[in-house]
Amino acid sequence: MNRHVEVRSIREGVYILWYLGYTDLASLYASGSERELLRFNGAINRLIEQILTENDKSEIIRNFLENQGMYRKYCVDETIASWFSHDEKSSVFFWLYLLKKFRDQQLGDEILSLAGNSYHDKKIVCDKNNSKITVNELPIRTPDNPKKCFMAGLYILDLLSFSPDKLQRTLDEIKIDYSHIRDLRRKDFAWFTDAGPEDVKWVWKQFNGHPNLLNNINKWDLSESLLSQTIPLLYYLWDGREDTKALYLNTLRKRYANMKHRKKVADKAPVNIRISPGAKNTLVKLEKRFNRNRADVIEYLIEKTWAELNQKN
């Protein structure tokens, strides 16, 4: 096999293939490590060889080299974005923030204006309002861990080809926004910290049922392994009014508590009794003393009394 070209990194190869319209091959290697670079170069050169043989499109090499030059001019130095890779939640936010903005027409137009003709011919999806690049054409469509989220964010920045000043401003904006919500998240979503897999799916279903919260994000194929981290972050990325958001979150928290309670008592037997005012006051004191709800206190007292009677017998 002839070696027509050579890329220095996985990101470089992915960038070039993406702009030339070969997104399937780009996505295949996008999540790979640099140890796969030699194999990636082999795949790229086999592709070029096949194109030259079948179509005699000698411009493929020239186009490849032109895009390679573009990448080396505009590629993002990973170290300037490394702040986001040190914390799992910040890595996820880094990707979500860019992905949400990427869907905005302004940034979509920036990418389209730089993309090659082959990309324009194959990859634009028309809707009733405008043309946008679909999420499933990104090099990493569905990251399933924070490390891949960070890499997916870098790919988006690579494809946008920002000037150094605009790149730095964008990174500063993301960092400031994340720093602002980091403490809010602990308070606003304290009720969500112990959510199990089914609870997470329930909340995600509520998000999907809101007409404006996700703004087409529900069409993303988000990884279930990251849902518990993405849900609070997507709430803060929602462009709704603050009072609207606060009202929705308060309602969601109450509905979540009711859902958890219904699950907890699903296998409980109802008992309807009347007790004296004095006994009721004592029961209230016990609730406070044990920091439990009424049903739990009554059940605890019944089991405790029964165990003591068995010990005496």
Side-chain angles (χ1 to χ4, degrees):
M1 181 190 71
N2 294 324
R3 172 158 289 203
H4 300 282
V5 296
E6 183 174 2
V7 297
R8 297 174 182 173
S9 68
I10 297 291
R11 277 174 57 199
E12 180 177 281
V14 168
Y15 173 96
I16 297 167
L17 290 174
W18 194 89
Y19 269 120
L20 291 177
Y22 303 103
T23 55
D24 289 342
L25 183 58
S27 298
L28 181 63
Y29 282 89
S31 298
S33 67
E34 293 303 316
R35 289 179 296 180
E36 297 180 86
L37 184 58
L38 182 62
R39 193 160 60 121
F40 191 25
N41 267 300
I44 291 171
N45 281 279
R46 282 193 296 275
L47 172 66
I48 292 175
E49 189 70 29
Q50 179 182 347
I51 294 170
L52 292 174
T53 301
E54 294 179 356
N55 304 306
D56 193 26
K57 290 185 177 180
S58 57
E59 72 271 12
I60 181 64
I61 297 178
R62 176 173 56 81
N63 291 341
F64 191 97
L65 294 175
E66 286 177 356
N67 281 284
Q68 189 174 52
M70 285 287 291
Y71 173 82
R72 293 179 181 178
K73 181 179 180 180
Y74 290 108
C75 69
V76 178
D77 182 352
E78 185 173 330
T79 59
I80 71 170
S82 61
W83 186 88
F84 301 100
S85 66
H86 296 156
D87 172 71
E88 288 190 353
K89 292 183 178 64
S90 63
S91 294
V92 177
F93 184 76
F94 173 64
W95 167 64
L96 288 173
Y97 184 101
L98 289 169
L99 187 55
K100 185 175 182 298
K101 284 221 166 188
F102 172 82
R103 291 186 64 86
D104 291 344
Q105 185 60 27
Q106 179 183 357
L107 296 189
D109 285 342
E110 290 193 45
I111 293 178
L112 289 173
S113 68
L114 293 168
N117 289 332
S118 59
Y119 188 87
H120 277 279
D121 293 340
K122 300 176 184 177
K123 303 300 178 184
I124 295 179
V125 177
C126 297
D127 59 27
K128 63 182 180 180
N129 297 317
N130 46 46
S131 297
K132 293 184 180 181
I133 300 172
T134 59
V135 170
N136 62 6
E137 299 300 344
L138 287 172
I140 298 180
R141 176 188 176 189
T142 313
D144 56 6
N145 61 62
K147 185 176 180 180
K148 286 186 181 179
C149 285
F150 178 66
M151 184 57 64
L154 289 179
Y155 277 125
I156 294 175
L157 288 176
D158 284 343
L159 297 175
L160 289 170
S161 302
F162 282 158
S163 67
D165 287 344
K166 187 166 186 178
L167 172 63
Q168 190 60 57
R169 286 198 305 272
T170 301
L171 292 174
D172 289 343
E173 287 172 6
I174 303 172
K175 185 175 181 180
I176 290 170
D177 280 8
Y178 179 72
S179 298
H180 175 65
I181 71 168
R182 185 166 45 195
D183 294 332
L184 287 176
R185 185 183 185 280
R186 296 192 188 100
K187 176 175 67 71
D188 293 341
F189 284 87
W191 53 273
F192 189 60
T193 54
D194 62 344
E198 293 304 315
D199 301 330
V200 171
K201 290 180 183 178
W202 183 91
V203 175
W204 182 239
K205 185 178 181 180
Q206 307 309 304
F207 269 37
N208 276 272
H210 193 282
N212 303 314
L213 194 158
L214 295 179
N215 190 23
N216 293 326
I217 296 175
N218 58 329
K219 296 179 182 178
W220 302 355
D221 189 14
L222 293 177
S223 168
E224 287 189 7
S225 61
L226 287 178
L227 271 186
S228 62
Q229 296 190 49
T230 58
I231 283 173
L233 299 176
L234 288 171
Y235 166 79
Y236 292 111
L237 287 171
W238 175 19
D239 294 328
R241 287 173 36 176
E242 289 305 314
D243 57 344
T244 301
K245 293 171 66 173
L247 178 61
Y248 174 78
L249 188 61
N250 188 49
T251 302
L252 178 64
R253 178 181 58 79
K254 292 179 180 178
R255 292 184 64 193
Y256 180 84
N258 288 336
M259 179 274 295
K260 293 281 285 184
H261 176 70
R262 288 194 299 271
K263 287 174 62 176
K264 184 176 180 180
V265 302
D267 58 348
K268 304 285 186 180
V271 177
N272 297 316
I273 59 172
R274 288 181 176 273
I275 58 177
S276 67
K280 181 178 178 181
N281 290 335
T282 302
L283 184 57
V284 171
K285 293 176 183 177
L286 289 171
E287 290 171 24
K288 295 179 180 178
R289 174 69 65 87
F290 295 137
N291 193 25
R292 296 183 181 184
N293 62 45
R294 185 161 299 176
D296 286 346
V297 170
I298 293 173
E299 190 170 339
Y300 167 75
L301 293 174
I302 292 172
E303 291 177 352
K304 181 174 183 292
T305 303
W306 182 250
E308 291 174 350
L309 287 173
N310 287 333
Q311 284 181 353
K312 291 178 181 179
N313 296 334

